[in-house]
Amino acid sequence: MPAAMVIGLVLHTSHRPRFEEAARTLTGVTFAWAVYEHEDQIRERVAGLLRAERLDGLLLGLVPYARSRDLLPPELPVAVTRSAALDLALAWSRARGNGWPATPVSIDTFAQETVDEVATALELDRQAIACLPFEPEQPIADVVGFHREQLDRTGAAYVISVRTGVAAALDGSVAVLHALATPGTIRADLHELALRIRHKRADGLRFAAGVFLIAKPEESPDLDRARVGLLHLLLNTPDFADAWIDNRGRRGVVVFAHAALFEAITHQWVGLPVLAEARDTLGIRAVAGFGLGDSARLCVTLAERAAARAEQDAEPGAYLISDNGMMIGPMGAGGTPLTYTYREHGGIEALAGRVGLSPATLSRLAAIERNLGGRPVSPSELARSLGITDPSGRRLIRKLSESSLAVDDGSSQVHRKGRPTRLYRLAITAALEGAA
């Protein structure tokens, strides 16, 4: 039975009743709450939520997303809920119910196109409406300053805001109508996020096949030996520990696994470093093809077709072909080839458990440290070596630093313009030796 879905919700404390009402429409979902009172608490709350929960997805508003986007794992499905045109129209309706004129008025956070659309539908004077669209780096003081300027200029009876700090900053000097997302808007975003998570789970559990071929058999005088070497290379690669691997003719190997495993080893279908390792350690030119289908036979057929496409390229690479006609590629060998196994790095599992990383990732990092030879590395350089994004590299460095597996080693100014780049010296080998 599949595990219950866990969705994180990041929200202002005053919005919780709206989110609770929207959340009641979903069953089979557990919600983890990160509630803040002031915007400067957002990063702390989001970081705590990510540490405490194994989330399947995350729903948060524009401001929380802008404040914490660099903390979010790249593979985590995220939905950003925002006030819709209907929410703005309801705010104007409340103004009329209070006996206030619809205009003049100042509005924050909504896009100009949305304001124009609603104003046209309600037959309002668009020239008497001032709009301040949302900007990710926009401090609350700028939003309040915008409203004060418009109030002084027009003498408006009220303002329309989505930012929770506006009313407190204006301190009762003028009425503030909140055009916050209604439970209906939040509900629609939650349902869409839940469907995305379910589809991702289903795709990850789809059966898949990978076919690894020795691309130029005429260059391998002992083809059987080359194929056995390729087989052993894959068997000794920790990422393939949960896969089923077998021979595929004289010059190939076939791998069966869930699609999620292949997504992981190709870094979301971007690169396949094991091909570079085959070239450098075995001296063979290997290519790969991956197939996604509803049966083992179809998966292998598609993988063979993808591998044949990869053979046409000059450099070692891989392609993916799915049963819906989609093809992704080329995926290059990518990055510095790393030789790593659990056997080389004794005690890796225990250290990985304490740090909160997988043994395979920590083993790769130990190989990178060995190749660096004591040279410090930047987060972006580490990211390139691992085939991950720069934000993921920065998050990884922070995690390693917290566990004393990376030590701050000054900074480097690569270009005259721009900020210096922080450098770090990896200390994984020392930690393994100390544990031993």
Side-chain angles (χ1 to χ4, degrees):
M1 183 176 179
M5 185 186 301
V6 180
I7 293 180
L9 301 173
V10 183
L11 58 144
H12 189 269
T13 183
S14 63
H15 300 171
R16 182 151 186 163
R18 295 168 181 255
F19 278 77
E20 287 178 339
E21 181 179 343
R24 281 198 292 268
T25 63
L26 279 175
T27 58
V29 178
T30 299
F31 294 98
W33 302 81
V35 181
Y36 63 92
E37 293 186 5
H38 306 288
E39 290 183 9
D40 57 6
Q41 298 173 332
I42 290 173
R43 289 181 63 83
E44 175 191 347
R45 299 290 192 271
V46 172
L49 180 64
L50 293 173
R51 286 194 303 268
E53 300 287 346
R54 187 178 182 86
L55 299 179
D56 296 297
L58 185 69
L59 180 74
L60 68 179
L62 278 171
V63 175
Y65 179 69
R67 292 290 187 99
S68 64
R69 61 182 303 173
D70 62 307
L71 302 177
L72 307 180
E75 70 279 2
L76 179 68
V78 174
V80 181
T81 190
R82 63 194 75 195
S83 299
L86 175 61
D87 305 318
L88 177 57
L90 290 174
W92 256 315
S93 176
R94 291 197 301 274
R96 287 180 167 175
N98 291 337
W100 300 331
T103 59
V105 67
S106 54
I107 303 170
D108 67 59
T109 305
F110 285 93
Q112 185 68 59
E113 294 80 5
T114 303
V115 174
D116 290 344
E117 175 190 350
V118 178
T120 300
L122 298 179
E123 300 181 346
L124 303 180
D125 179 7
R126 284 184 288 175
Q127 301 303 315
I129 303 170
C131 176
L132 180 68
F134 179 78
E135 293 290 341
E137 304 300 325
Q138 192 177 60
I140 193 69
D142 287 359
V143 181
V144 174
F146 160 77
H147 286 300
R148 288 193 187 279
E149 180 183 343
Q150 299 304 320
L151 289 167
D152 292 341
R153 185 176 63 85
T154 66
Y158 67 100
V159 303
I160 296 178
S161 178
V162 178
R163 303 290 289 267
T164 53
V166 168
L170 290 175
D171 196 25
S173 59
V174 66
V176 178
L177 290 182
H178 292 292
L180 303 174
T182 62
T185 300
I186 299 169
R187 183 182 305 119
D189 291 332
L190 267 178
H191 289 186
E192 187 273 336
L193 176 60
L195 285 174
R196 269 201 290 139
I197 295 170
R198 290 192 180 104
H199 290 160
K200 181 182 177 183
R201 283 185 170 184
D203 287 343
L205 292 174
R206 290 187 72 190
F207 208 62
V211 170
F212 291 76
L213 296 178
I214 300 167
K216 293 186 176 181
E218 66 276 8
E219 297 179 0
S220 299
D222 190 340
L223 190 58
D224 286 333
R225 183 175 181 179
R227 187 251 307 153
V228 171
L230 179 61
L231 174 64
H232 287 169
L233 172 64
L234 298 180
L235 287 171
N236 289 321
T237 299
D239 286 339
F240 287 103
D242 294 329
W244 186 83
I245 305 173
D246 203 358
N247 294 327
R248 183 66 178 174
R250 288 194 65 218
R251 70 181 182 105
V253 176
V254 64
V255 181
F256 290 99
H258 287 142
L261 183 146
F262 291 122
E263 283 188 8
I265 65 170
T266 59
H267 311 299
Q268 308 301 313
W269 311 112
V270 171
L272 193 56
V274 72
L275 297 180
E277 193 171 346
R279 176 193 62 207
D280 295 342
T281 62
L282 301 177
I284 61 176
R285 180 180 184 272
V287 298
F290 301 100
L292 297 178
D294 291 331
S295 68
R297 182 186 297 274
L298 179 57
C299 287
V300 173
T301 299
L302 294 172
E304 288 177 332
R305 191 184 307 167
R309 174 63 185 85
E311 285 190 281
Q312 299 174 24
D313 294 342
E315 296 296 325
Y319 282 81
L320 160 73
I321 297 179
S322 68
D323 53 6
N324 63 6
M326 177 183 69
M327 182 169 71
I328 297 176
M331 303 169 227
T336 303
L338 302 174
T339 55
Y340 63 97
T341 65
Y342 294 130
R343 291 187 298 277
E344 284 184 23
H345 304 139
I348 199 80
E349 290 90 349
L351 182 59
R354 291 198 300 272
V355 177
L357 294 172
S358 71
T361 297
L362 202 59
S363 191
R364 286 188 176 194
L365 289 167
I368 290 174
E369 181 185 357
R370 184 176 62 237
N371 291 342
L372 288 171
R375 179 175 63 83
V377 64
S378 69
S380 59
E381 184 182 354
L382 185 65
R384 287 193 298 272
S385 297
L386 288 169
I388 59 179
T389 64
D390 280 1
S392 297
R394 290 192 293 271
R395 287 193 290 272
L396 179 59
I397 281 288
R398 283 198 296 270
K399 183 181 281 288
L400 293 173
S401 298
E402 291 168 358
S403 304
S404 299
L405 298 184
V407 181
D408 193 324
D409 198 68
S411 62
S412 170
Q413 184 80 26
V414 180
H415 305 288
R416 286 192 300 173
K417 295 182 178 180
R419 295 180 178 178
T421 300
R422 301 300 302 175
L423 298 176
Y424 298 86
R425 197 179 301 276
L426 298 180
I428 298 166
T429 302
L432 289 170
E433 291 173 352

